[in-house]
Amino acid sequence: MARRPTIAALLWDVDGTLAETERDGHRVAFNRAFATRGLPWHWDAARYGELLRVTGGRERILADMATQPDAPPQAERETLARQLHALKNGFYAELVAGGGIPLREGVRELVEQAATHGLRQAITTTTSRSNVEARRSRHFGAGWGRLFPVVVCGE
């Protein structure tokens, strides 16, 4: 009789897996960052969908800047992208803390059930550590370390 494979661990991505974060989370936070800096840029859902082909928020900003006629000179773009990304992460954390980006239906139950059965779990994501921290604090509270002892982020 053939042996069934055993699952050694459950690896969770954040954006699009634990929660649907892109359209109503990250995109909204990017637009707030642009407005805060007085930039006329605005990413609608279609444009943000195109930019999702680029991995990483700072990298998305840089890719979009290359198409903006009012973007700063090339030598200033990296600094502006870092500043905008930091602002965006703060706005994203506010959205999460305010309950604006819930976990996907059934995710919490699956995480808890896996933990109850002793399945090792980790978060592996290209998003920034600050975005993961915001989500874990909001949705898994003080017990997050028990659920996800390993976290690997984009940094």
Side-chain angles (χ1 to χ4, degrees):
M1 178 178 215
R3 237 179 118 197
R4 290 189 334 181
T6 302
I7 297 175
L10 184 55
L11 306 178
W12 292 94
D13 185 22
V14 175
D15 298 320
T17 303
L18 289 178
E20 183 49 61
T21 59
E22 297 297 355
R23 187 189 72 208
D24 299 325
H26 291 294
R27 184 185 68 84
V28 170
F30 276 116
N31 286 332
R32 286 183 184 171
F34 300 151
T36 297
R37 287 297 304 268
L39 296 167
W41 307 337
H42 179 84
W43 293 347
D44 62 17
R47 176 65 177 145
Y48 191 68
E50 294 167 2
L51 289 168
L52 284 175
R53 294 183 198 130
V54 178
T55 301
R58 186 183 56 80
E59 293 80 4
R60 280 185 202 117
I61 294 168
L62 288 167
D64 189 59
M65 265 195 245
T67 70
Q68 297 289 349
D70 56 350
Q74 189 69 35
E76 300 172 20
R77 291 181 186 186
E78 181 65 38
T79 299
L80 179 58
R82 277 197 190 103
Q83 292 169 351
L84 288 168
H85 193 248
L87 278 171
K88 188 278 300 185
N89 285 347
F91 290 130
Y92 177 82
E94 289 174 9
L95 288 167
V96 172
I101 310 170
L103 291 173
R104 283 184 180 271
E105 187 175 329
V107 164
R108 182 164 189 69
E109 294 79 6
L110 182 56
V111 167
E112 291 288 349
Q113 188 176 45
T116 298
H117 290 348
L119 185 61
R120 294 179 290 177
Q121 298 181 84
I123 293 176
T124 59
T125 181
T126 60
T127 200
S128 64
R129 186 159 299 276
S130 64
N131 290 342
V132 172
E133 294 298 332
R135 179 143 309 279
R136 289 191 318 187
S137 299
R138 168 74 175 154
H139 295 293
F140 299 107
W144 70 261
R146 169 186 65 85
L147 298 170
F148 308 107
V150 175
V151 178
V152 179
C153 298
E155 293 97 346

